[in-house]
Amino acid sequence: MDPKLFFPNNFLDGTITSLIDNQQRPAPSVIVIGAGISGIAAARILHDASFKVTLLESRDRLGGRIHTDYSFGCPVDMGASWLHGVCNENPLAPLIRCLGLTLYRTSGDDSVLYDHDLESCMLFDIDGNKVQQQTVVEVGETFKRILEETGKVRDEHPEDISVSEAISIVLDRHPQLRKQGLAHEVLQWFICRMEAWFAADADMISLKSWDQEHVLSGGHGLMVQGYNPVINALAKDIDIRLNHRVTKISNGYNKVMVTLEDGRNFVADAAIITVPIGILKANLIEFEPRLPDWKVSAISDLGVGNENKIALRFDKVFWPNVELLGVVAPTSYACGYFLNLHKATGHPVLVYMAAGRFAYDLEKLSDESAANFVMLQLKKMFPDACEPVQYLVSHWGTDPNSLGCYSYDLVGKSMDVYDKLRAPLGNLFFGGEAVSLDNQGSVHGAYSAGVMAAENCQRYLWEKQGNLESLSQVSVRHETLGTNFPLQISRI
């Protein structure tokens, strides 16, 4: 399928190409750094506008923090796996429709679990005893009430505090909301699920900002075939160089020079930087001249979370037909949950998910030890559980190509941090999920940020060339394709 079909603003009957040819102007050149969905989206826009584009990626594969693994004989997303906002307004919806991909909706718009509803969830205590569903529902309602009360705490505190501190204040004021025994452990599990949404512990999450994200309607849907088909469609015919790790970006004399770790250089008229925020925070890329203080501060003021997955494939299904299997415990750190891919995809796969400090601690174990740890929990719940045939373990926090999963709002962050992050520096432009206008931490947010960076880069370079005709053709948005054909959803 022609990727140009996904970008109707570039369907200009050769207008841009003819302008370049007729006026004998060399095509502007752009280096895009990072082949996650943000970088690929930026490269796609520029490629279809007849720019000379080179996409540099440090990994030996495309996708970045999107990684669909096929070693189980079926697609398993070890990174991003949900479309957050199953609706036509989602900028990825046209592409997903055109590719005929199926979504498995795991929640509606109003879910205390964010990406899962309560109806298809089964919880167990640390000894493997099943928690009554009525207890789960009642504690879930209490958790909603606690979160509502944190809004009052926020209004009373001019200085930002953590979500964890706000919850403590609420429980001190309203002791009737406190839970004891098993109910307390279930409450900790709800907090654990909240922490998984941000990939960070509650004592690190900003009270001022935690619920300010613009969440699209339609609930949340798992990509049944994985995200890889989306990546491959966007990447078609683009000049992509894998195993090209960038270590320095030099900007001057109307050109950008990008240096690789092996000493090779690439030169272009502009560059778009879409590397993960964890890479920028670790200063793994040198900038010459150095980044201004306001840009450095913005990078420093943003948090980067960590969430890891341990995927287990079995030769038979021994667990109930629910979407989530959860483990409750006295602290959110000790809680956990399994995503049941069998219900969504038909494959006998469970995926254990861990976030925040616990995700980092799991990375200290060998893959075998991590899988054994998960199996101990499963065997408590299901004594007849068989051993997995295969397992996969992610290491996003220590992966030198990512150093974390996605951004989140630290306590006390400045309100203009995202504006500063996305602000260009001359002919350097910034993409990636962390600079999304409204949807940081999401795939569609990363995609939109790449599109925005590419369009800003187009304007800049056309303006420098004085090419006003082409400048007027640069789109500020993308039309929704195929609205007569709904997204394919396997659960309503």
Side-chain angles (χ1 to χ4, degrees):
M1 185 174 293
D2 188 345
K4 289 185 179 180
L5 293 176
F6 313 137
F7 301 98
N9 60 296
N10 293 318
F11 235 3
L12 302 175
D13 296 324
T15 302
I16 292 178
T17 303
S18 63
L19 282 168
I20 294 173
D21 292 340
N22 292 340
Q23 299 179 34
Q24 296 298 307
R25 289 177 175 149
S29 58
V30 180
I31 297 169
V32 179
I33 304 169
I37 195 168
S38 194
I40 294 175
R44 176 86 266 148
I45 293 289
L46 295 169
H47 174 274
D48 291 349
S50 298
F51 281 55
K52 180 183 178 182
V53 183
T54 305
L55 179 54
L56 305 179
E57 167 58 41
S58 61
R59 301 179 190 273
D60 60 0
R61 61 169 180 82
L62 300 177
R65 286 163 285 177
I66 290 175
H67 181 205
T68 306
D69 189 284
Y70 294 93
S71 63
F72 284 5
C74 61
V76 178
D77 274 325
M78 295 302 290
S81 53
W82 270 271
L83 181 72
H84 297 296
V86 184
C87 59
N88 286 331
E89 290 71 33
N90 193 305
L92 282 175
L95 177 52
I96 290 171
R97 274 196 302 268
C98 288
L99 293 172
L101 300 176
T102 302
L103 292 160
Y104 180 89
R105 200 198 307 266
T106 57
S107 82
D109 292 335
D110 182 25
S111 172
V112 72
L113 297 180
Y114 298 103
D115 50 22
H116 273 88
D117 291 322
L118 283 170
E119 287 78 5
S120 191
C121 174
M122 187 176 293
L123 301 187
F124 298 81
D125 66 20
I126 56 177
D127 295 321
N129 301 307
K130 182 181 174 182
V131 179
Q132 292 300 313
Q133 189 67 6
Q134 183 63 29
T135 301
V136 179
V137 172
E138 290 175 357
V139 176
E141 290 302 316
T142 299
F143 186 54
K144 282 185 178 181
R145 172 76 190 284
I146 291 171
L147 292 182
E148 290 170 358
E149 290 295 322
T150 63
K152 299 176 183 178
V153 175
R154 174 169 51 198
D155 293 341
E156 298 166 0
H157 284 73
E159 298 296 323
D160 195 13
I161 61 175
S162 72
V163 168
S164 178
E165 185 177 351
I167 290 175
S168 295
I169 293 173
V170 168
L171 294 179
D172 286 341
R173 291 179 178 176
H174 304 280
Q176 75 276 13
L177 296 178
R178 289 187 180 274
K179 297 296 180 181
Q180 303 295 327
L182 182 61
H184 169 77
E185 296 185 4
V186 175
L187 179 61
Q188 294 303 307
W189 186 80
F190 277 99
I191 294 174
C192 165
R193 288 293 297 119
M194 180 183 187
E195 292 171 333
W197 180 258
F198 295 96
D201 293 83
D203 62 355
M204 301 292 291
I205 302 168
S206 163
L207 175 65
K208 185 177 295 184
S209 304
W210 78 269
D211 60 348
Q212 301 304 301
E213 178 185 355
H214 172 64
V215 180
L216 296 175
S217 64
H220 308 280
L222 272 172
M223 299 289 292
V224 175
Q225 291 97 340
Y227 259 115
N228 194 56
V230 174
I231 295 295
N232 288 340
L234 290 173
K236 184 180 178 183
D237 298 328
I238 294 174
D239 180 9
I240 299 173
R241 315 289 180 92
L242 299 178
N243 298 303
H244 280 52
R245 186 181 303 278
V246 172
T247 57
K248 186 176 182 179
I249 300 172
S250 304
N251 183 24
Y253 302 104
N254 296 318
K255 295 287 184 180
V256 176
M257 184 170 71
V258 174
T259 303
L260 305 183
E261 65 179 351
D262 62 8
R264 284 181 292 166
N265 295 313
F266 289 77
V267 178
D269 297 314
I272 298 178
I273 302 161
T274 70
V275 300
I277 187 68
I279 300 300
L280 295 178
K281 289 175 74 70
N283 297 312
L284 295 184
I285 297 177
E286 178 187 355
F287 288 85
E288 179 62 40
R290 69 182 299 274
L291 295 176
D293 290 343
W294 57 266
K295 178 73 82 170
V296 173
S297 294
I299 293 170
S300 176
D301 288 346
L302 197 61
V304 56
N306 188 25
E307 184 173 28
N308 279 310
K309 297 181 178 181
I310 302 173
L312 307 165
R313 182 175 75 85
F314 300 90
D315 58 9
K316 65 177 181 180
V317 176
F318 55 80
W319 55 89
N321 189 35
V322 295
E323 292 169 8
L324 278 185
L325 298 166
V327 179
V328 306
T331 65
S332 63
Y333 174 91
C335 294
Y337 69 99
F338 295 82
L339 173 65
N340 176 18
L341 285 188
H342 183 260
K343 186 170 178 60
T345 70
H347 301 292
V349 175
L350 293 175
V351 181
Y352 183 84
M353 303 177 74
R357 295 184 182 94
F358 185 43
Y360 282 106
D361 287 344
L362 275 181
E363 293 191 45
K364 298 173 184 177
L365 303 176
S366 67
D367 286 1
E368 181 180 9
S369 296
N372 288 339
F373 166 79
V374 168
M375 283 304 302
L376 286 175
Q377 296 195 52
L378 267 182
K379 288 181 177 179
K380 287 181 180 179
M381 293 185 279
F382 310 106
D384 296 330
C386 58
E387 292 295 323
V389 179
Q390 288 175 275
Y391 58 81
L392 294 167
V393 182
S394 68
H395 306 85
W396 294 110
T398 53
D399 185 332
N401 301 294
S402 60
L403 296 181
C405 285
Y406 44 82
S407 60
Y408 71 94
D409 294 327
L410 283 171
V411 177
K413 78 167 182 64
S414 61
M415 299 308 293
D416 60 352
V417 62
Y418 293 110
D419 294 332
K420 291 178 177 177
L421 276 172
R422 74 175 64 95
L425 296 170
N427 51 358
L428 292 182
F429 298 84
F430 294 83
E433 55 83 17
V435 307
S436 169
L437 285 173
D438 296 304
N439 300 107
Q440 295 82 19
S442 69
V443 176
H444 69 273
Y447 170 85
S448 297
V451 170
M452 179 177 61
E455 291 179 343
N456 290 338
C457 182
Q458 281 188 70
R459 287 192 190 86
Y460 174 85
L461 293 178
W462 284 137
E463 196 170 53
K464 282 189 63 177
Q465 285 193 352
N467 196 338
L468 301 181
E469 296 92 340
S470 293
L471 182 62
S472 67
Q473 301 288 353
V474 177
S475 171
V476 297
R477 64 185 178 89
H478 295 286
E479 302 294 338
T480 300
L481 290 182
T483 54
N484 292 329
F485 300 93
L487 289 166
Q488 296 186 45
I489 304 169
S490 61
R491 171 181 179 253
I492 302 297

PDB file of all heavy atoms in Angstrom, residues 443-472:
ATOM      1  N   VAL A 443       1.664   6.797  21.596  1.00  0.00           N
ATOM      2  CA  VAL A 443       2.152   6.591  20.229  1.00  0.00           C
ATOM      3  C   VAL A 443       1.614   7.672  19.310  1.00  0.00           C
ATOM      4  O   VAL A 443       2.358   8.239  18.494  1.00  0.00           O
ATOM      5  CB  VAL A 443       1.756   5.188  19.722  1.00  0.00           C
ATOM      6  CG1 VAL A 443       2.175   5.007  18.275  1.00  0.00           C
ATOM      7  CG2 VAL A 443       2.397   4.102  20.584  1.00  0.00           C
ATOM      8  N   HIS A 444       0.323   7.979  19.444  1.00  0.00           N
ATOM      9  CA  HIS A 444      -0.210   9.012  18.546  1.00  0.00           C
ATOM     10  C   HIS A 444       0.361  10.389  18.884  1.00  0.00           C
ATOM     11  O   HIS A 444       0.487  11.243  18.001  1.00  0.00           O
ATOM     12  CB  HIS A 444      -1.742   9.022  18.566  1.00  0.00           C
ATOM     13  CG  HIS A 444      -2.362   9.493  19.835  1.00  0.00           C
ATOM     14  ND1 HIS A 444      -2.628   8.662  20.896  1.00  0.00           N
ATOM     15  CD2 HIS A 444      -2.789  10.723  20.224  1.00  0.00           C
ATOM     16  CE1 HIS A 444      -3.196   9.345  21.872  1.00  0.00           C
ATOM     17  NE2 HIS A 444      -3.298  10.599  21.493  1.00  0.00           N
ATOM     18  N   GLY A 445       0.731  10.604  20.149  1.00  0.00           N
ATOM     19  CA  GLY A 445       1.403  11.855  20.494  1.00  0.00           C
ATOM     20  C   GLY A 445       2.770  11.962  19.853  1.00  0.00           C
ATOM     21  O   GLY A 445       3.152  13.008  19.329  1.00  0.00           O
ATOM     22  N   ALA A 446       3.522  10.855  19.879  1.00  0.00           N
ATOM     23  CA  ALA A 446       4.835  10.826  19.229  1.00  0.00           C
ATOM     24  C   ALA A 446       4.704  11.040  17.731  1.00  0.00           C
ATOM     25  O   ALA A 446       5.481  11.793  17.111  1.00  0.00           O
ATOM     26  CB  ALA A 446       5.530   9.499  19.521  1.00  0.00           C
ATOM     27  N   TYR A 447       3.730  10.383  17.130  1.00  0.00           N
ATOM     28  CA  TYR A 447       3.472  10.526  15.695  1.00  0.00           C
ATOM     29  C   TYR A 447       3.174  11.983  15.349  1.00  0.00           C
ATOM     30  O   TYR A 447       3.774  12.570  14.436  1.00  0.00           O
ATOM     31  CB  TYR A 447       2.310   9.618  15.308  1.00  0.00           C
ATOM     32  CG  TYR A 447       1.776   9.820  13.917  1.00  0.00           C
ATOM     33  CD1 TYR A 447       2.348   9.187  12.824  1.00  0.00           C
ATOM     34  CD2 TYR A 447       0.670  10.641  13.699  1.00  0.00           C
ATOM     35  CE1 TYR A 447       1.850   9.381  11.547  1.00  0.00           C
ATOM     36  CE2 TYR A 447       0.161  10.833  12.431  1.00  0.00           C
ATOM     37  CZ  TYR A 447       0.751  10.200  11.357  1.00  0.00           C
ATOM     38  OH  TYR A 447       0.249  10.392  10.096  1.00  0.00           O
ATOM     39  N   SER A 448       2.252  12.598  16.092  1.00  0.00           N
ATOM     40  CA  SER A 448       1.867  13.986  15.824  1.00  0.00           C
ATOM     41  C   SER A 448       3.046  14.937  16.000  1.00  0.00           C
ATOM     42  O   SER A 448       3.186  15.912  15.260  1.00  0.00           O
ATOM     43  CB  SER A 448       0.721  14.398  16.747  1.00  0.00           C
ATOM     44  OG  SER A 448      -0.424  13.615  16.503  1.00  0.00           O
ATOM     45  N   ALA A 449       3.889  14.658  16.995  1.00  0.00           N
ATOM     46  CA  ALA A 449       5.061  15.506  17.223  1.00  0.00           C
ATOM     47  C   ALA A 449       6.020  15.425  16.041  1.00  0.00           C
ATOM     48  O   ALA A 449       6.635  16.431  15.656  1.00  0.00           O
ATOM     49  CB  ALA A 449       5.764  15.087  18.507  1.00  0.00           C
ATOM     50  N   GLY A 450       6.161  14.241  15.450  1.00  0.00           N
ATOM     51  CA  GLY A 450       7.012  14.103  14.275  1.00  0.00           C
ATOM     52  C   GLY A 450       6.454  14.851  13.079  1.00  0.00           C
ATOM     53  O   GLY A 450       7.195  15.510  12.333  1.00  0.00           O
ATOM     54  N   VAL A 451       5.140  14.763  12.899  1.00  0.00           N
ATOM     55  CA  VAL A 451       4.495  15.501  11.810  1.00  0.00           C
ATOM     56  C   VAL A 451       4.684  16.997  11.998  1.00  0.00           C
ATOM     57  O   VAL A 451       5.024  17.724  11.056  1.00  0.00           O
ATOM     58  CB  VAL A 451       2.994  15.140  11.747  1.00  0.00           C
ATOM     59  CG1 VAL A 451       2.247  16.063  10.789  1.00  0.00           C
ATOM     60  CG2 VAL A 451       2.810  13.689  11.326  1.00  0.00           C
ATOM     61  N   MET A 452       4.477  17.475  13.213  1.00  0.00           N
ATOM     62  CA  MET A 452       4.616  18.895  13.497  1.00  0.00           C
ATOM     63  C   MET A 452       6.041  19.375  13.252  1.00  0.00           C
ATOM     64  O   MET A 452       6.261  20.437  12.649  1.00  0.00           O
ATOM     65  CB  MET A 452       4.209  19.183  14.949  1.00  0.00           C
ATOM     66  CG  MET A 452       4.345  20.630  15.363  1.00  0.00           C
ATOM     67  SD  MET A 452       3.758  20.918  17.053  1.00  0.00           S
ATOM     68  CE  MET A 452       4.875  19.859  17.977  1.00  0.00           C
ATOM     69  N   ALA A 453       7.024  18.592  13.702  1.00  0.00           N
ATOM     70  CA  ALA A 453       8.419  18.980  13.493  1.00  0.00           C
ATOM     71  C   ALA A 453       8.747  19.040  12.005  1.00  0.00           C
ATOM     72  O   ALA A 453       9.457  19.947  11.548  1.00  0.00           O
ATOM     73  CB  ALA A 453       9.343  17.994  14.204  1.00  0.00           C
ATOM     74  N   ALA A 454       8.229  18.082  11.237  1.00  0.00           N
ATOM     75  CA  ALA A 454       8.498  18.073   9.793  1.00  0.00           C
ATOM     76  C   ALA A 454       7.867  19.273   9.103  1.00  0.00           C
ATOM     77  O   ALA A 454       8.481  19.897   8.230  1.00  0.00           O
ATOM     78  CB  ALA A 454       7.969  16.769   9.185  1.00  0.00           C
ATOM     79  N   GLU A 455       6.651  19.610   9.480  1.00  0.00           N
ATOM     80  CA  GLU A 455       5.992  20.747   8.853  1.00  0.00           C
ATOM     81  C   GLU A 455       6.689  22.060   9.208  1.00  0.00           C
ATOM     82  O   GLU A 455       6.837  22.950   8.363  1.00  0.00           O
ATOM     83  CB  GLU A 455       4.519  20.770   9.260  1.00  0.00           C
ATOM     84  CG  GLU A 455       3.733  19.616   8.648  1.00  0.00           C
ATOM     85  CD  GLU A 455       2.276  19.591   9.060  1.00  0.00           C
ATOM     86  OE1 GLU A 455       1.932  20.272  10.066  1.00  0.00           O
ATOM     87  OE2 GLU A 455       1.486  18.913   8.396  1.00  0.00           O
ATOM     88  N   ASN A 456       7.139  22.187  10.448  1.00  0.00           N
ATOM     89  CA  ASN A 456       7.898  23.380  10.837  1.00  0.00           C
ATOM     90  C   ASN A 456       9.221  23.455  10.090  1.00  0.00           C
ATOM     91  O   ASN A 456       9.665  24.540   9.682  1.00  0.00           O
ATOM     92  CB  ASN A 456       8.136  23.377  12.344  1.00  0.00           C
ATOM     93  CG  ASN A 456       6.868  23.618  13.134  1.00  0.00           C
ATOM     94  OD1 ASN A 456       5.893  24.167  12.624  1.00  0.00           O
ATOM     95  ND2 ASN A 456       6.866  23.210  14.392  1.00  0.00           N
ATOM     96  N   CYS A 457       9.856  22.307   9.911  1.00  0.00           N
ATOM     97  CA  CYS A 457      11.111  22.252   9.175  1.00  0.00           C
ATOM     98  C   CYS A 457      10.897  22.636   7.713  1.00  0.00           C
ATOM     99  O   CYS A 457      11.699  23.381   7.124  1.00  0.00           O
ATOM    100  CB  CYS A 457      11.700  20.840   9.278  1.00  0.00           C
ATOM    101  SG  CYS A 457      13.296  20.622   8.467  1.00  0.00           S
ATOM    102  N   GLN A 458       9.822  22.150   7.111  1.00  0.00           N
ATOM    103  CA  GLN A 458       9.497  22.518   5.725  1.00  0.00           C
ATOM    104  C   GLN A 458       9.371  24.028   5.584  1.00  0.00           C
ATOM    105  O   GLN A 458       9.956  24.630   4.680  1.00  0.00           O
ATOM    106  CB  GLN A 458       8.172  21.874   5.315  1.00  0.00           C
ATOM    107  CG  GLN A 458       8.236  20.408   4.941  1.00  0.00           C
ATOM    108  CD  GLN A 458       6.905  19.961   4.370  1.00  0.00           C
ATOM    109  OE1 GLN A 458       6.542  20.359   3.267  1.00  0.00           O
ATOM    110  NE2 GLN A 458       6.175  19.162   5.135  1.00  0.00           N
ATOM    111  N   ARG A 459       8.586  24.625   6.455  1.00  0.00           N
ATOM    112  CA  ARG A 459       8.379  26.068   6.370  1.00  0.00           C
ATOM    113  C   ARG A 459       9.697  26.821   6.470  1.00  0.00           C
ATOM    114  O   ARG A 459       9.961  27.774   5.731  1.00  0.00           O
ATOM    115  CB  ARG A 459       7.441  26.523   7.487  1.00  0.00           C
ATOM    116  CG  ARG A 459       6.010  26.145   7.295  1.00  0.00           C
ATOM    117  CD  ARG A 459       5.123  26.882   8.295  1.00  0.00           C
ATOM    118  NE  ARG A 459       3.785  26.318   8.255  1.00  0.00           N
ATOM    119  CZ  ARG A 459       3.392  25.273   8.956  1.00  0.00           C
ATOM    120  NH1 ARG A 459       4.236  24.688   9.791  1.00  0.00           N
ATOM    121  NH2 ARG A 459       2.163  24.806   8.851  1.00  0.00           N
ATOM    122  N   TYR A 460      10.510  26.398   7.424  1.00  0.00           N
ATOM    123  CA  TYR A 460      11.787  27.069   7.649  1.00  0.00           C
ATOM    124  C   TYR A 460      12.659  27.026   6.390  1.00  0.00           C
ATOM    125  O   TYR A 460      13.220  28.054   5.968  1.00  0.00           O
ATOM    126  CB  TYR A 460      12.495  26.399   8.828  1.00  0.00           C
ATOM    127  CG  TYR A 460      13.896  26.897   9.077  1.00  0.00           C
ATOM    128  CD1 TYR A 460      14.125  28.041   9.845  1.00  0.00           C
ATOM    129  CD2 TYR A 460      15.002  26.217   8.565  1.00  0.00           C
ATOM    130  CE1 TYR A 460      15.412  28.484  10.079  1.00  0.00           C
ATOM    131  CE2 TYR A 460      16.289  26.655   8.795  1.00  0.00           C
ATOM    132  CZ  TYR A 460      16.493  27.799   9.548  1.00  0.00           C
ATOM    133  OH  TYR A 460      17.766  28.239   9.773  1.00  0.00           O
ATOM    134  N   LEU A 461      12.779  25.846   5.797  1.00  0.00           N
ATOM    135  CA  LEU A 461      13.676  25.698   4.644  1.00  0.00           C
ATOM    136  C   LEU A 461      13.105  26.357   3.391  1.00  0.00           C
ATOM    137  O   LEU A 461      13.847  26.974   2.608  1.00  0.00           O
ATOM    138  CB  LEU A 461      13.964  24.222   4.397  1.00  0.00           C
ATOM    139  CG  LEU A 461      14.790  23.538   5.494  1.00  0.00           C
ATOM    140  CD1 LEU A 461      14.979  22.054   5.191  1.00  0.00           C
ATOM    141  CD2 LEU A 461      16.146  24.219   5.665  1.00  0.00           C
ATOM    142  N   TRP A 462      11.799  26.259   3.163  1.00  0.00           N
ATOM    143  CA  TRP A 462      11.214  26.933   2.012  1.00  0.00           C
ATOM    144  C   TRP A 462      11.342  28.445   2.168  1.00  0.00           C
ATOM    145  O   TRP A 462      11.593  29.161   1.191  1.00  0.00           O
ATOM    146  CB  TRP A 462       9.748  26.560   1.862  1.00  0.00           C
ATOM    147  CG  TRP A 462       9.436  25.195   1.309  1.00  0.00           C
ATOM    148  CD1 TRP A 462       8.486  24.337   1.770  1.00  0.00           C
ATOM    149  CD2 TRP A 462      10.052  24.530   0.199  1.00  0.00           C
ATOM    150  NE1 TRP A 462       8.478  23.186   1.033  1.00  0.00           N
ATOM    151  CE2 TRP A 462       9.421  23.269   0.053  1.00  0.00           C
ATOM    152  CE3 TRP A 462      11.083  24.872  -0.678  1.00  0.00           C
ATOM    153  CZ2 TRP A 462       9.780  22.366  -0.937  1.00  0.00           C
ATOM    154  CZ3 TRP A 462      11.445  23.965  -1.664  1.00  0.00           C
ATOM    155  CH2 TRP A 462      10.799  22.738  -1.787  1.00  0.00           C
ATOM    156  N   GLU A 463      11.153  28.929   3.390  1.00  0.00           N
ATOM    157  CA  GLU A 463      11.253  30.364   3.630  1.00  0.00           C
ATOM    158  C   GLU A 463      12.671  30.857   3.355  1.00  0.00           C
ATOM    159  O   GLU A 463      12.882  31.931   2.778  1.00  0.00           O
ATOM    160  CB  GLU A 463      10.835  30.673   5.066  1.00  0.00           C
ATOM    161  CG  GLU A 463      10.537  32.133   5.319  1.00  0.00           C
ATOM    162  CD  GLU A 463       9.903  32.336   6.680  1.00  0.00           C
ATOM    163  OE1 GLU A 463      10.492  31.849   7.682  1.00  0.00           O
ATOM    164  OE2 GLU A 463       8.831  32.957   6.763  1.00  0.00           O
ATOM    165  N   LYS A 464      13.653  30.067   3.764  1.00  0.00           N
ATOM    166  CA  LYS A 464      15.048  30.439   3.508  1.00  0.00           C
ATOM    167  C   LYS A 464      15.335  30.499   2.019  1.00  0.00           C
ATOM    168  O   LYS A 464      16.124  31.333   1.559  1.00  0.00           O
ATOM    169  CB  LYS A 464      15.993  29.430   4.175  1.00  0.00           C
ATOM    170  CG  LYS A 464      16.149  29.621   5.665  1.00  0.00           C
ATOM    171  CD  LYS A 464      17.237  28.744   6.222  1.00  0.00           C
ATOM    172  CE  LYS A 464      18.593  29.116   5.627  1.00  0.00           C
ATOM    173  NZ  LYS A 464      19.690  28.324   6.209  1.00  0.00           N
ATOM    174  N   GLN A 465      14.716  29.595   1.245  1.00  0.00           N
ATOM    175  CA  GLN A 465      14.913  29.591  -0.202  1.00  0.00           C
ATOM    176  C   GLN A 465      14.067  30.647  -0.898  1.00  0.00           C
ATOM    177  O   GLN A 465      14.223  30.869  -2.101  1.00  0.00           O
ATOM    178  CB  GLN A 465      14.568  28.219  -0.784  1.00  0.00           C
ATOM    179  CG  GLN A 465      15.606  27.151  -0.512  1.00  0.00           C
ATOM    180  CD  GLN A 465      15.382  25.909  -1.368  1.00  0.00           C
ATOM    181  OE1 GLN A 465      14.373  25.789  -2.051  1.00  0.00           O
ATOM    182  NE2 GLN A 465      16.328  25.004  -1.335  1.00  0.00           N
ATOM    183  N   GLY A 466      13.147  31.275  -0.148  1.00  0.00           N
ATOM    184  CA  GLY A 466      12.252  32.233  -0.769  1.00  0.00           C
ATOM    185  C   GLY A 466      11.215  31.585  -1.648  1.00  0.00           C
ATOM    186  O   GLY A 466      10.640  32.223  -2.542  1.00  0.00           O
ATOM    187  N   ASN A 467      10.952  30.341  -1.405  1.00  0.00           N
ATOM    188  CA  ASN A 467      10.016  29.576  -2.224  1.00  0.00           C
ATOM    189  C   ASN A 467       8.614  29.721  -1.646  1.00  0.00           C
ATOM    190  O   ASN A 467       8.102  28.838  -0.968  1.00  0.00           O
ATOM    191  CB  ASN A 467      10.440  28.098  -2.261  1.00  0.00           C
ATOM    192  CG  ASN A 467       9.762  27.335  -3.373  1.00  0.00           C
ATOM    193  OD1 ASN A 467       8.717  27.746  -3.862  1.00  0.00           O
ATOM    194  ND2 ASN A 467      10.362  26.227  -3.753  1.00  0.00           N
ATOM    195  N   LEU A 468       7.982  30.861  -1.920  1.00  0.00           N
ATOM    196  CA  LEU A 468       6.695  31.172  -1.311  1.00  0.00           C
ATOM    197  C   LEU A 468       5.595  30.255  -1.818  1.00  0.00           C
ATOM    198  O   LEU A 468       4.645  29.957  -1.095  1.00  0.00           O
ATOM    199  CB  LEU A 468       6.336  32.633  -1.583  1.00  0.00           C
ATOM    200  CG  LEU A 468       7.347  33.664  -1.050  1.00  0.00           C
ATOM    201  CD1 LEU A 468       6.864  35.074  -1.356  1.00  0.00           C
ATOM    202  CD2 LEU A 468       7.535  33.488   0.456  1.00  0.00           C
ATOM    203  N   GLU A 469       5.713  29.820  -3.096  1.00  0.00           N
ATOM    204  CA  GLU A 469       4.674  28.928  -3.615  1.00  0.00           C
ATOM    205  C   GLU A 469       4.647  27.626  -2.832  1.00  0.00           C
ATOM    206  O   GLU A 469       3.592  27.138  -2.416  1.00  0.00           O
ATOM    207  CB  GLU A 469       4.920  28.636  -5.106  1.00  0.00           C
ATOM    208  CG  GLU A 469       4.822  29.863  -5.994  1.00  0.00           C
ATOM    209  CD  GLU A 469       6.172  30.525  -6.185  1.00  0.00           C
ATOM    210  OE1 GLU A 469       7.077  30.278  -5.367  1.00  0.00           O
ATOM    211  OE2 GLU A 469       6.303  31.292  -7.164  1.00  0.00           O
ATOM    212  N   SER A 470       5.823  27.054  -2.609  1.00  0.00           N
ATOM    213  CA  SER A 470       5.880  25.807  -1.852  1.00  0.00           C
ATOM    214  C   SER A 470       5.514  26.036  -0.396  1.00  0.00           C
ATOM    215  O   SER A 470       4.890  25.181   0.240  1.00  0.00           O
ATOM    216  CB  SER A 470       7.280  25.194  -1.943  1.00  0.00           C
ATOM    217  OG  SER A 470       7.545  24.760  -3.263  1.00  0.00           O
ATOM    218  N   LEU A 471       5.908  27.197   0.147  1.00  0.00           N
ATOM    219  CA  LEU A 471       5.595  27.503   1.539  1.00  0.00           C
ATOM    220  C   LEU A 471       4.096  27.479   1.774  1.00  0.00           C
ATOM    221  O   LEU A 471       3.617  26.990   2.797  1.00  0.00           O
ATOM    222  CB  LEU A 471       6.161  28.884   1.904  1.00  0.00           C
ATOM    223  CG  LEU A 471       5.970  29.357   3.345  1.00  0.00           C
ATOM    224  CD1 LEU A 471       6.674  28.413   4.304  1.00  0.00           C
ATOM    225  CD2 LEU A 471       6.486  30.778   3.504  1.00  0.00           C
ATOM    226  N   SER A 472       3.337  27.963   0.796  1.00  0.00           N
ATOM    227  CA  SER A 472       1.885  27.991   0.953  1.00  0.00           C
ATOM    228  C   SER A 472       1.261  26.611   0.906  1.00  0.00           C
ATOM    229  O   SER A 472       0.133  26.416   1.318  1.00  0.00           O
ATOM    230  CB  SER A 472       1.258  28.852  -0.145  1.00  0.00           C
ATOM    231  OG  SER A 472       1.422  28.241  -1.421  1.00  0.00           O
TER     232      SER A 472
END
